[in-house]
């Protein structure tokens, strides 16, 4: 199966804008799952950014809203599964990385090689399983 599905023709800009507006209008009611998810996501991201500033993590606080983006899904069950996978993946990764850091020590070349290999491996795992990526 190819990457492109459907017609390769570009829609007329006006027609495309009208279709987009029609889709937005059709979802502007509280019974719309898309609108409810958008409200939840906006609120959660707002709280995450506030937490980032309150906790004062400096330039490293970006991980709080980033985690919200990765974890929050439209359905409650999906979100709960992502939270569980994030926790399990983080704990396992922390244990693995700590053990590896103790073994390698301060060898710069070895650390660079390990970081490069594990980063590539982690993003490869994202296609298979979110917990493995985390």
């Amino acid at each position: 199966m190819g990457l492109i599905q459907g017609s390769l023709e570009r829609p007329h800009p006006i027609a495309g804008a009208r279709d987009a507006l029609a889709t937005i209008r059709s979802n502007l009611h509280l019974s719309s799952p898309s609108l409810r998810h958008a409200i939840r996501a906006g609120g959660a991201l707002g709280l995450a950014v506030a937490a980032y500033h309150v906790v004062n993590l400096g330039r490293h606080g970006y991980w709080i809203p980033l985690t919200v983006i990765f974890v929050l899904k439209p359905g409650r069950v999906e979100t709960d599964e992502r939270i569980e996978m994030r926790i399990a993946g983080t704990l396992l990764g922390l244990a693995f990385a700590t053990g590896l850091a103790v073994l390698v020590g301060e060898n710069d070349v070895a650390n660079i090689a390990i970081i490069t290999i594990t980063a590539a491996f982690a993003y490869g795992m994202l296609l298979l399983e979110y917990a493995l990526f985390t």
Side-chain angles (χ1 to χ4, degrees), residues 54-130:
V54 168
V55 177
N56 195 18
L57 296 173
R59 61 188 188 136
H60 299 290
Y62 67 88
W63 64 267
I64 297 174
L66 191 62
T67 298
V68 169
I69 290 170
F70 281 145
V71 169
L72 192 62
K73 295 293 171 195
R76 174 68 186 237
V77 172
E78 297 163 311
T79 299
D80 290 345
E81 287 175 358
R82 282 289 182 113
I83 290 169
E84 292 167 5
M85 287 190 284
R86 182 78 180 199
I87 291 168
T90 299
L91 293 176
L92 290 171
L94 178 62
F96 177 75
T98 301
L100 201 54
V102 168
L103 287 175
V104 172
E106 295 185 25
N107 183 332
D108 290 340
V109 173
N111 280 312
I112 290 169
I114 289 169
I115 289 170
T116 302
I117 292 167
T118 55
F121 183 72
Y123 281 102
M125 290 292 100
L126 181 57
L127 296 173
L128 299 175
E129 179 65 52
Y130 179 77

